[in-house]
Amino acid sequence: MDPIVIIGGGIAGATCAKVFSLDNPAFDVILISASPVVKMVANLRTIGRSIDIFDVIEQNSSALENINLKVLHNNVILLDSKKRTVTLDNGSVIKYSKLAICTGAKPKMIPMQNDINVKRFIKCIRDTETAKDFQSILSTSKRIIIVGNGGIATELVYEVSGCEIVWAIKDNNFGATFFDSVVSKFFSDFLKEDPASKSDQITKRHHFTVNQAESEQKNEFGVALGPDWHNGFSMIGKSQKNVVIEKCCQISNIYRDVASIPTEKSSHIVKSTDQDNWNVYVELSTGQIYGCDMVISATGVLPNSQVFTENNTFTLGADKALLVDNEMRTSIEHIYAAGDVCAAGWPLAAHWFQMRLWTQARQMGFYAAKCISAHIHKTSPELYFNFDVFTHVTRFFGLRVILLGLYNGQGLPLEDCSIQCRVTAKKELIKVVLRNGSMQGAVLIGETDFEETFEKLIYNQFDLSRFGEHLLDDVVDVEDFFD
Ligand code: FAD
């Protein structure tokens, strides 16, 4: 039988390769990765049904190899799904019996003109190479503009110190991918903090790099950085930290210098006390023009599917993600996909939705391995399907953040919902979304210890009406539900 081939050495691909090869020692497995390091999960702890807490480690790809698992450090440049082959950048052609595509995603860039003098100051952060590039410009920067309102932008605004940050967001509150206005307000005090003064703080998760030289190799398809990517980098600019949030706006233009700004707009340039000459000038849809040393584009990612979709007719989801069914199969026979490159195409459970995160990349890579196994052995992988309640554990502003279910009431008719919230300033926030008396989602910030209970409440849809508005006063009684 031809080998099982997995493409991508990120969390999804590496997990899929490892799980499949361990479960099926009699089968040959080939993992092909454009990046020299692979990302692995370590110290996995699962709380409740599916709240995963883990470290992400980078390893030399050879560390993953075992008797039936071989790792190739190559780019896949062609897929021929009829012949069941992939072609590598060194010209070799590999035949597969089953293929799993786990090639992740690449950052979306803000639209800009092709001026090289503008382009070199627009950065994104995806891998070690781009992070070093960012760090190098930051070290001489007095003002940077961060565009985007997701996790990476929020993390950057907190981690960068010694620099004025203009944070351009399209929403009315910051961090809107994860926070509503209540949570955003809770965190607003932290924006003034300078993390450089809190060196004793616990890091997000441990981060190990086995071979620094290899992990720094330049690569078009670098593996996405680990959660503590900033720990190895100096995140300090050349002035004082100050954060200005520009809400409900987008970038409408970027100018290479003052001379390129139309005269009628020159009065819109926001003055700075000690600098007139900036690398680029950014015009926001509000009309204001900010000069800055660098623009960071953190506006989301696009699935890395192009090399496969060019010559093969996959059914695609939004942004050309490879659509997969409830057993991680794409629309082409024998081809699976997992992680950031895929779109969940099954009828979603009421409290789960897809987000391009570590947690889901791991879950999907694991489940894809179980599905491939089950299809070969003609069994059902149903037992391993674990996409019922959305869960995500992370850290923002130095605090643990756990998001469960429809934590922002995503997709719910808000007139039917109520929200209960308990806040201890700068320490803890508990927010729950309720509908018809049962819990739909929750945000837990700080060390609350309620995650397991709340996940069960969301999964089982217990009627909590009897607690009325006092649900969060009586969480201990709520926990008795399960005794
Ligand atoms: P990736 O990790 O992107 O791996 C894709 C792999 O495919 C790479 O090895 C790449 O080299 C390989 N590849 C691509 N094309 C080819 C090809 N043609 N041939 C061969 N190999 C190829 N998520 C969180 O949950 N929490 C966080 O705190 C968090 N922080 C983040 C911070 C940053 C700066 C970034 C960029 C992302 C962050 N994410 C975070 C998102 C998270 O990194 C991704 O969701 C996750 O890495 C996706 O895993 P993946 O395996 O699908 O893809």
Side-chain angles (χ1 to χ4, degrees):
M1 186 174 170
D2 291 319
I4 309 298
V5 172
I6 293 149
I7 310 174
I11 287 285
T15 305
C16 182
K18 189 170 178 183
V19 171
F20 184 88
S21 65
L22 289 176
D23 284 357
N24 298 277
F27 286 76
D28 287 331
V29 182
I30 299 176
L31 175 70
I32 307 168
S33 179
S35 49
V37 289
V38 293
K39 288 249 150 70
M40 290 301 300
V41 163
N43 304 325
L44 173 67
R45 208 156 49 91
T46 300
I47 302 171
R49 288 173 50 84
S50 58
I51 306 171
D52 290 340
I53 301 176
F54 54 85
D55 300 328
V56 176
I57 59 170
E58 282 179 351
Q59 290 186 315
N60 292 337
S61 45
S62 55
L64 195 63
E65 290 189 312
N66 60 35
I67 196 127
N68 64 332
L69 170 59
K70 191 172 154 195
V71 184
L72 302 178
H73 174 202
N74 288 99
N75 276 336
V76 170
I77 54 165
L78 188 73
L79 162 68
D80 186 332
S81 57
K82 295 204 174 72
K83 291 188 186 149
R84 286 210 230 166
T85 59
V86 288
T87 305
L88 308 186
D89 50 0
N90 62 3
S92 49
V93 176
I94 297 178
K95 211 159 174 352
Y96 61 82
S97 58
K98 303 267 183 212
L99 176 72
I101 300 175
C102 307
T103 45
K106 52 179 180 267
K108 270 186 207 164
M109 287 303 279
I110 45 176
M112 57 182 145
Q113 59 283 66
N114 275 334
D115 185 340
I116 186 87
N117 289 315
V118 168
K119 266 187 161 172
R120 64 197 176 106
F121 299 112
I122 318 280
K123 300 290 168 194
C124 66
I125 295 177
R126 179 70 190 165
D127 50 19
T128 315
E129 185 69 27
T130 50
K132 285 189 83 171
D133 207 15
F134 162 78
Q135 178 198 19
S136 150
I137 302 185
L138 178 66
S139 63
T140 59
S141 294
K142 288 188 172 177
R143 185 196 276 162
I144 60 172
I145 297 192
I146 297 178
V147 189
N149 207 10
I152 296 172
T154 308
E155 192 167 22
L156 274 176
V157 170
Y158 178 61
E159 294 295 340
V160 166
S161 56
C163 188
E164 182 180 351
I165 300 168
V166 179
W167 191 4
I169 58 175
K170 64 178 178 1
D171 312 279
N172 200 24
N173 63 280
F174 70 82
T177 308
F178 297 110
F179 315 151
D180 64 2
S181 54
V182 176
V183 177
S184 195
K185 191 166 186 307
F186 171 83
F187 278 130
S188 53
D189 283 345
F190 293 81
L191 287 176
K192 294 168 205 141
E193 280 180 4
D194 194 336
S197 64
K198 296 191 293 162
S199 53
D200 59 335
Q201 245 192 8
I202 347 156
T203 58
K204 203 168 183 180
R205 273 162 245 163
H206 301 293
H207 183 243
F208 311 84
T209 302
V210 174
N211 182 333
Q212 191 70 12
E214 283 196 6
S215 76
E216 284 175 7
Q217 275 181 28
K218 192 175 171 69
N219 196 307
E220 189 191 349
F221 299 109
V223 74
L225 285 161
D228 300 315
W229 61 274
H230 41 77
N231 285 347
F233 296 94
S234 159
M235 300 281 278
I236 304 174
K238 226 185 147 202
S239 67
Q240 294 280 310
K241 179 154 186 174
N242 180 33
V243 180
V244 176
I245 303 182
E246 290 289 353
K247 297 178 181 175
C248 303
C249 68
Q250 288 172 5
I251 292 201
S252 32
N253 223 326
I254 305 182
Y255 304 99
R256 63 190 291 179
D257 51 26
V258 177
S260 342
I261 301 174
T263 335
E264 69 277 12
K265 291 186 178 174
S266 55
S267 62
H268 299 172
I269 300 175
V270 178
K271 294 272 177 272
S272 159
T273 43
D274 62 344
Q275 186 157 334
D276 295 326
N277 201 13
W278 299 97
N279 289 337
V280 284
Y281 290 78
V282 174
E283 182 180 356
L284 302 178
S285 50
T286 53
Q288 282 161 303
I289 300 176
Y290 281 95
C292 65
D293 296 299
M294 164 168 60
V295 183
I296 295 102
S297 175
T299 51
V301 292
L302 291 171
N304 230 337
S305 58
Q306 200 183 342
V307 73
F308 309 105
T309 55
E310 267 167 3
N311 308 303
N312 303 276
T313 40
F314 284 97
T315 305
L316 302 176
D319 293 330
K320 301 198 174 151
L322 303 175
L323 203 70
V324 290
D325 68 5
N326 63 343
E327 296 186 358
M328 305 311 285
R329 290 172 289 216
T330 66
S331 55
I332 297 184
E333 210 185 355
H334 307 298
I335 303 183
Y336 299 70
D340 281 6
V341 74
C342 82
W346 61 83
L348 302 186
H351 299 99
W352 189 87
F353 53 92
Q354 186 180 4
M355 241 193 195
R356 294 195 159 89
L357 297 166
W358 290 108
T359 330
Q360 294 193 2
R362 191 201 74 79
Q363 286 170 337
M364 287 180 171
F366 176 88
Y367 183 56
K370 297 292 183 188
C371 290
I372 298 171
S373 236
H375 298 151
I376 291 171
H377 300 295
K378 303 205 175 352
T379 58
S380 166
E382 202 183 352
L383 179 68
Y384 299 100
F385 185 89
N386 199 5
F387 304 100
D388 296 311
V389 175
F390 174 92
T391 63
H392 182 49
V393 182
T394 186
R395 289 190 96 85
F396 283 118
F397 302 98
L399 292 179
R400 170 175 281 191
V401 176
I402 300 182
L403 306 169
L404 301 173
L406 309 177
Y407 58 87
N408 272 346
Q410 289 93 335
L412 293 174
L414 290 181
E415 62 282 6
D416 282 4
C417 296
S418 64
I419 288 177
Q420 293 190 25
C421 202
R422 196 177 89 186
V423 180
T424 311
K426 295 197 83 173
K427 191 165 176 252
E428 187 182 278
L429 179 146
I430 304 169
K431 182 192 97 171
V432 295
V433 180
L434 299 153
R435 187 186 185 204
N436 299 332
S438 60
M439 196 179 290
Q440 307 302 312
V443 177
L444 303 173
I445 301 174
E447 304 300 321
T448 67
D449 273 346
F450 294 145
E451 51 272 18
E452 196 172 348
T453 305
F454 284 11
E455 188 200 29
K456 273 191 205 153
L457 291 174
I458 296 168
Y459 183 72
N460 292 308
Q461 288 294 287
F462 285 118
D463 185 359
L464 302 166
S465 322
R466 69 169 138 128
F467 293 96
E469 289 176 0
H470 302 285
L471 179 66
L472 298 181
D473 304 335
D474 299 332
V475 182
V476 177
D477 295 345
V478 175
E479 285 179 319
D480 290 346
F481 254 97
F482 304 107
D483 290 342

